[in-house]
Amino acid sequence: MDAAPDTEAVADESVVVIGGGFGGLSTACYLADAGADVTLLEKNEQLGGRASRLEADGFRFDMGPSWYLMPDVFERFFGHFDRSPEEYYTLTHLDPHYRVFWKDGDRVDVLPDMEHNRELFEAYEPGAGEALDAYLEEAERTYEIGMEHFVYEDRPRLRDYVDRDVMRYSWGLSLLGKMQGHVEGYFDHPKLQQLMQYTLVFLGGSPTNTPALYNLMSHVDFNMGVYYPDGGLGAVVDGIVELAEELGVEFVTDAEVTGIEGRYGAFAVDTVGGDRYLADVVVSNADYAHTERELLPERKRQYTEEYWESRTFAPSAFLLYLGVEGDVPELAHHTLVLPTRWDEHFAQIFDDPAWPDDPAYYLCVPSETDETVAPEGHSNLFALVPIAPGLEDTPELREEYRDLVLDDIAENTGTELRDRIVFEETFCVADFADRYNSYDGSALGLAHTLRQTSLFRPPHRSTAVKGLYFTGATTTPGIGVPMCLISGGLTAERIADTI
Ligand SMILES: Cc1cc2nc3c(=O)[nH]c(=O)nc-3n(C[C@H](O)[C@H](O)[C@H](O)COP(=O)(O)OP(=O)(O)OC[C@H]3O[C@@H](n4cnc5c(N)ncnc54)[C@H](O)[C@@H]3O)c2cc1C
């Protein structure tokens, strides 16, 4: 993708973008830059979608994403508009990248220092230091080929894959096997396998349902590094909103869309408040299934109920936002707490949905890096436990699970929080469904299983309504903030090519 929609094609088109997540914000920027007249309607009181912020009692929490990965994608995004990320926010390279506590008492830090990481791997298994280099070399190749030829290039049809240039990269075929088998080819030690696989949870998958081509994620975290935008991921939202405003995008918040009527050149988009917006083109960044099932009449949908029911949705999450008195020195900015065998947790997400008995979870303490996110003398902390989408979610279950998580944190990281909590809030399945209209309360959208990767994801362009397009995590390239930024560029290109 050169991410440069043909200016002539979209200039003077009026566009309504539904939803202010990263995909919607990105599409709005590309289209406004190309001369379109863009209005973005967001259901909630703030922009950013799943990257919303919760502010209370002097604490400021990123409610969703907290890992700033793939800095190259952000540079390319801002670069398209002759800007750079530094003009909008400041990045800190985290050191350590992250800490892992295993529940057998073992603990490691993964650092930007690769010599340290090699020695760490070697300590678990002779030869694993070299294997790490070989693994990361392959991951880097996958990243480079994958990004240029499959992620930045939209390939919506099977025949697009059969062109000679793409077939040259038959490297891909060996990576269509499962991640688990791929990692086992390099490392025997289960803990090393886990270190190479934990990023799959970012993609909403498990080692046994995600293709090995996502080994590229190890290049992302080991080689490219883990960053923190000062002020949190919300600062990135603010930066992109500022850019969008400079480009002329109009924003309307508290504007939940209730229906889309018409077609190219004559759309009417209705909102809860009774306002009606007219547009030539509509782009939905709202949850794909919600848009199809609830905003369009049946004859204008591309997918049936059975289609959505048969998909593998990414996990939902149990989130516990905590404002805590004092420090939490045992924890790094990013900390993972993992059972030594995590198959059971994955089974309770994908096979036999249940609240995980022995959870693998993530703790984020941005106040380790940024003193603006908590009042003086306090820590800002959230716990994120991936759980099955659609799981029963009641206040009693949350209360019970909150206790289990606090006990688990105390037992496995030595961090006793209970008597120091001054602010507390949970967010779970029902909130994802309510706040973001997310199908089954999934936190992330469609998982990246092989059958839901690339051209097998729902397309950017509706085949049922001319002039209606989609962007964001459920379409291509997929889940994650960088992917959604790219998705916005691909959607804008698709519009320019097809209207
Ligand atoms: C807990 C959590 C942790 C995560 N961690 C990371 C991470 O560390 N790093 C990373 O890169 N990614 C992470 N992700 C994934 C990343 O946040 C998402 O993939 C990405 O933000 C999704 O963007 P999107 O463009 O799909 O839009 P969304 O964020 O889904 O936004 C869609 C918007 O549409 C709005 N909307 C819905 N229905 C309507 C309607 N009818 N009318 C108007 N508006 C509507 C919603 O309110 C929402 O604002 C995380 C996600 C979650 C939930």
Side-chain angles (χ1 to χ4, degrees):
M1 165 181 98
D2 62 1
D6 180 352
T7 310
E8 298 237 322
V10 296
D12 303 325
E13 298 280 345
S14 58
V15 182
V16 162
V17 176
I18 303 171
F22 279 102
L25 293 173
S26 166
T27 314
C29 287
Y30 282 110
L31 292 177
D33 185 56
D37 178 9
V38 183
T39 303
L40 187 148
L41 307 176
E42 166 54 48
K43 162 184 184 290
N44 292 324
E45 75 298 345
Q46 56 177 302
L47 298 163
R50 290 166 213 247
S52 287
R53 271 183 292 206
L54 169 63
E55 297 198 41
D57 301 348
F59 295 95
R60 194 172 63 241
F61 299 93
D62 278 324
M63 294 178 69
S66 55
W67 295 62
Y68 186 98
L69 299 168
M70 303 187 182
D72 56 325
V73 172
F74 295 85
E75 275 159 27
R76 188 156 161 169
F77 172 76
F78 280 101
H80 175 78
F81 308 100
D82 295 325
R83 272 55 162 205
S84 66
E86 303 84 68
E87 292 170 57
Y88 296 89
Y89 51 86
T90 306
L91 292 176
T92 302
H93 191 166
L94 295 181
D95 187 1
H97 283 159
Y98 54 94
R99 175 164 298 161
V100 179
F101 287 93
W102 277 286
K103 294 192 182 179
D104 61 1
D106 198 8
R107 160 187 156 166
V108 299
D109 279 358
V110 172
L111 308 186
D113 175 2
M114 276 308 293
E115 197 45 49
H116 160 92
N117 298 333
R118 267 180 223 109
E119 283 166 17
L120 170 75
F121 272 58
E122 197 64 31
Y124 281 95
E125 184 181 316
E130 253 178 51
L132 175 64
D133 284 337
Y135 188 95
L136 292 181
E137 227 170 84
E138 174 162 40
E140 181 172 2
R141 203 168 62 241
T142 313
Y143 185 84
E144 280 168 2
I145 297 173
M147 290 299 278
E148 281 315 314
H149 296 276
F150 297 92
V151 172
Y152 279 113
E153 289 232 354
D154 204 12
R155 296 182 179 275
R157 298 156 309 177
L158 192 56
R159 68 171 179 273
D160 298 329
Y161 284 81
V162 187
D163 86 34
R164 262 204 333 208
D165 275 358
V166 172
M167 289 310 273
R168 246 178 341 124
Y169 301 109
S170 55
W171 118 104
L173 297 178
S174 69
L175 294 177
L176 297 182
K178 297 285 189 294
M179 192 68 187
Q180 181 62 31
H182 180 71
V183 170
E184 280 169 4
Y186 286 85
F187 309 102
D188 289 331
H189 201 292
K191 286 182 179 166
L192 300 184
Q193 293 178 6
Q194 285 186 338
L195 285 180
M196 306 320 278
Q197 290 174 336
Y198 82 91
T199 47
L200 298 186
V201 179
F202 288 144
L203 302 168
S206 84
T208 52
N209 73 7
T210 307
L213 61 95
Y214 290 109
N215 73 353
L216 61 86
M217 289 301 289
S218 291
H219 172 62
V220 167
D221 79 332
F222 278 91
N223 292 339
M224 301 180 97
V226 180
Y227 294 83
Y228 174 76
D230 291 353
L233 259 287
V236 181
V237 175
D238 291 346
I240 296 176
V241 170
E242 192 183 327
L243 167 67
E245 281 171 342
E246 288 162 12
L247 297 169
V249 177
E250 297 261 345
F251 290 102
V252 189
T253 48
D254 292 312
E256 179 164 18
V257 171
T258 51
I260 305 167
E261 283 175 25
R263 61 190 304 282
Y264 174 62
F267 277 110
V269 178
D270 290 317
T271 61
V272 127
D275 290 325
R276 170 166 272 211
Y277 294 81
L278 304 179
D280 298 321
V281 172
V282 171
V283 179
S284 182
N285 174 228
D287 186 270
Y288 208 119
H290 160 72
T291 307
E292 284 253 321
R293 297 164 73 234
E294 288 164 60
L295 303 185
L296 292 169
E298 203 165 340
R299 64 181 195 290
K300 297 206 166 169
R301 298 176 193 163
Q302 303 168 90
Y303 298 108
T304 59
E305 276 304 299
E306 293 70 47
Y307 171 83
W308 295 112
E309 281 164 17
S310 65
R311 298 298 90 183
T312 303
F313 274 85
S316 185
F318 171 76
L319 286 144
L320 184 58
Y321 307 102
L322 299 173
V324 174
E325 246 166 17
D327 291 340
V328 285
E330 304 84 0
L331 305 178
H333 185 126
H334 297 307
T335 300
L336 305 166
V337 184
L338 307 177
T340 45
R341 287 191 60 84
W342 61 5
D343 331 21
E344 184 59 21
H345 185 163
F346 282 118
Q348 289 183 312
I349 295 177
F350 293 105
D351 307 331
D352 249 327
W355 285 79
D357 305 309
D358 186 15
Y361 56 96
Y362 159 59
L363 301 171
C364 182
V365 191
S367 49
E368 292 279 330
T369 312
D370 183 349
E371 60 185 26
T372 69
V373 296
E376 208 183 327
H378 291 76
S379 297
N380 169 320
L381 184 154
F382 76 75
L384 185 169
V385 187
I387 60 172
L391 215 54
E392 188 187 3
D393 171 18
T394 63
E396 297 72 34
L397 282 165
R398 287 193 194 195
E399 186 62 27
E400 226 175 87
Y401 212 66
R402 169 231 187 238
D403 285 338
L404 181 145
V405 170
L406 290 178
D407 286 345
D408 204 289
I409 295 172
E411 187 182 333
N412 292 299
T413 73
T415 308
E416 194 53 76
L417 296 170
R418 232 191 214 97
D419 300 333
R420 308 196 265 145
I421 297 171
V422 296
F423 171 82
E424 160 164 18
E425 184 82 58
T426 57
F427 197 89
C428 200
V429 181
D431 300 309
F432 280 106
D434 253 29
R435 184 169 169 83
Y436 306 122
N437 285 326
S438 177
Y439 186 87
D440 244 0
S442 165
L444 302 170
L446 276 192
H448 282 265
T449 61
L450 183 55
R451 299 175 62 178
Q452 296 179 176
T453 284
S454 200
L455 80 158
F456 301 119
R457 293 180 89 70
H460 292 122
R461 183 170 77 103
S462 167
T463 49
V465 182
K466 183 169 165 59
L468 174 62
Y469 295 81
F470 296 87
T471 194
T474 287
T475 180
T476 56
I479 292 170
V481 173
M483 294 301 115
C484 291
L485 281 184
I486 293 171
S487 181
L490 296 175
T491 302
E493 259 185 9
R494 200 93 187 100
I495 294 171
D497 291 348
T498 54
I499 55 172

